[in-house]
Amino acid sequence: MATVFVSTQLPGTGVAELAREHQVILGDGLLAASLPGDVAALITVLTDRVDAAVLERLPALRVVANVAVGYDNVDVAACAARGVVVTNTPHVLTESTADFTFGLLLAAARRIAEGDRIVRAGRFTGWTPTYMLGTRVSGMTLGIVGLGRIGQAVARRARGFGMRVVYTQRTRAPEAVERALCATYAGWPDLLALADAVTLHCPLTPATQHLIDRRALAAMKPGAILIYTARGGCVDEGALAEALERGPLAACGLDVYEREPAEHPRLLACGRAVLAPHLGSADTPTREAMTALAVANVAAVLAGEAPLSPVTK
Ligand code: GLV
């Protein structure tokens, strides 16, 4: 029986099942100073920072199971140096996040969130032919940054909307993948110049920090839309607000922020910004599946077996 520290309440039955085999401690966040020294497994969420201070405190630690596909909150190199396995929860949230991406795109392009605010405020004074015209989604060229699991799921949905899909990433996808998705590879400048909407599905790394900066925004089409559900750090929010205020962007839809939770005064002031509170994978079956996968990773490592979804650096 090992000690497992779960940093916060998780949906589903996974943690209760783990508690039949191991001593499970449910925490209220991950504070290094309050962690018992004999913890062998940590189940963390994206708001926890697994850093040197945490690792120092836990000499018996064998696995960090992050309940998220992104793992920029975990110092993977420091874990590797101590022989601590790090796992994430890919696959189980792919479709949910792709659904949400399309929700943001539709809401931003067709002014759904903005319209909702107008109706609630009693400011809908009647239909006219020129009232609240938005951007047509069907048939647009969609630029996908990162054709990984979620990018591909977005590309599949795009076909149903009659979109042309262009994508970019460090390494071009295999031809069979491109063909199956009808996705055309483009270099970074071409993607920005071609896309009516750009959607980011890349991890946050030093290389993607402020990938969308003032220069990238200036290279986008007049009237373009930016969508992102990845990590807020990929976008310079000040530059984004400016691109909404002065162009070229018509609208944006975002689910993640440079600092969470946080106020975004300039973005809040942009009527055409759809701002979601980090809900990309927030449906019940998805969150339960994420918990179950994290728990299965912990159980495997504690049993001396290979984890199901280790991360690699
Ligand atoms: C959510 O943001 C995740 O990385 O799973």
Side-chain angles (χ1 to χ4, degrees):
M1 183 179 262
T3 303
V4 180
F5 186 88
V6 183
S7 76
T8 189
Q9 189 88 44
L10 295 170
T13 54
V15 174
E17 282 156 28
L18 194 66
R20 288 197 211 119
E21 301 283 323
H22 297 287
Q23 197 212 344
V24 171
I25 301 172
L26 181 62
D28 183 18
L30 190 70
L31 271 182
S34 63
L35 291 170
D38 66 340
V39 167
L42 277 180
I43 299 186
T44 53
V45 295
L46 58 89
T47 50
D48 299 319
R49 290 234 80 77
V50 182
D51 54 17
V54 168
L55 297 175
E56 258 337 78
R57 171 93 192 164
L58 305 177
L61 189 64
R62 292 165 64 189
V63 54
V64 175
N66 205 38
V67 186
V69 68
Y71 49 88
D72 46 284
N73 58 311
V74 180
D75 187 337
V76 177
C79 287
R82 288 165 180 263
V84 174
V85 174
V86 180
T87 66
N88 66 342
T89 59
H91 306 290
V92 292
L93 48 62
T94 300
E95 302 303 329
S96 178
T97 308
D99 289 347
F100 199 80
T101 300
F102 257 84
L104 283 178
L105 175 57
L106 288 164
R110 297 300 306 275
R111 310 179 73 164
I112 296 173
E114 191 188 357
D116 179 90
R117 288 194 296 276
I118 287 172
V119 173
R120 284 173 198 279
R123 287 190 284 115
F124 174 42
T125 51
W127 186 91
T128 78
T130 54
Y131 184 56
M132 284 195 78
L133 304 186
T135 306
R136 182 163 158 165
V137 173
S138 289
M140 62 168 42
T141 295
L142 183 65
I144 298 179
V145 180
L147 199 66
R149 286 175 294 263
I150 297 172
Q152 291 187 24
V154 168
R156 285 195 294 277
R157 283 157 179 73
R159 288 193 65 185
F161 279 83
M163 292 174 168
R164 175 177 173 224
V165 173
V166 292
Y167 78 96
T168 195
Q169 61 184 10
R170 264 181 317 178
T171 319
R172 191 169 169 170
E175 213 183 305
V177 171
E178 290 186 351
R179 212 174 319 113
L181 297 171
C182 298
T184 306
Y185 179 79
W188 182 235
D190 289 340
L191 179 122
L192 295 176
L194 285 168
D196 300 305
V198 171
T199 181
L200 305 184
H201 300 289
C202 50
L204 176 62
T205 66
T208 60
Q209 173 77 31
H210 283 190
L211 179 69
I212 299 287
D213 57 7
R214 191 162 280 116
R215 209 164 138 206
L217 288 159
M220 287 174 69
K221 268 184 167 175
I225 295 172
L226 178 69
I227 304 295
Y228 57 102
T229 53
R231 284 290 180 270
C234 298
V235 177
D236 177 341
E237 285 171 4
L240 172 60
E242 205 172 288
L244 287 162
E245 288 156 7
R246 304 198 193 143
L249 289 196
C252 71
L254 45 147
D255 189 36
V256 287
Y257 302 88
E258 288 195 75
R259 276 168 298 281
E260 294 181 16
E263 287 178 19
H264 314 279
R266 283 181 73 194
L267 288 175
L268 284 174
C270 296
R272 295 292 307 271
V274 177
L275 307 173
H278 205 146
L279 297 177
S281 64
D283 65 54
T284 303
T286 299
R287 287 286 165 85
E288 289 182 355
M290 290 165 70
T291 304
L293 180 52
V295 163
N297 277 313
V298 165
V301 174
L302 294 181
E305 293 161 13
L308 284 77
S309 50
V311 309
T312 47
K313 194 83 176 173

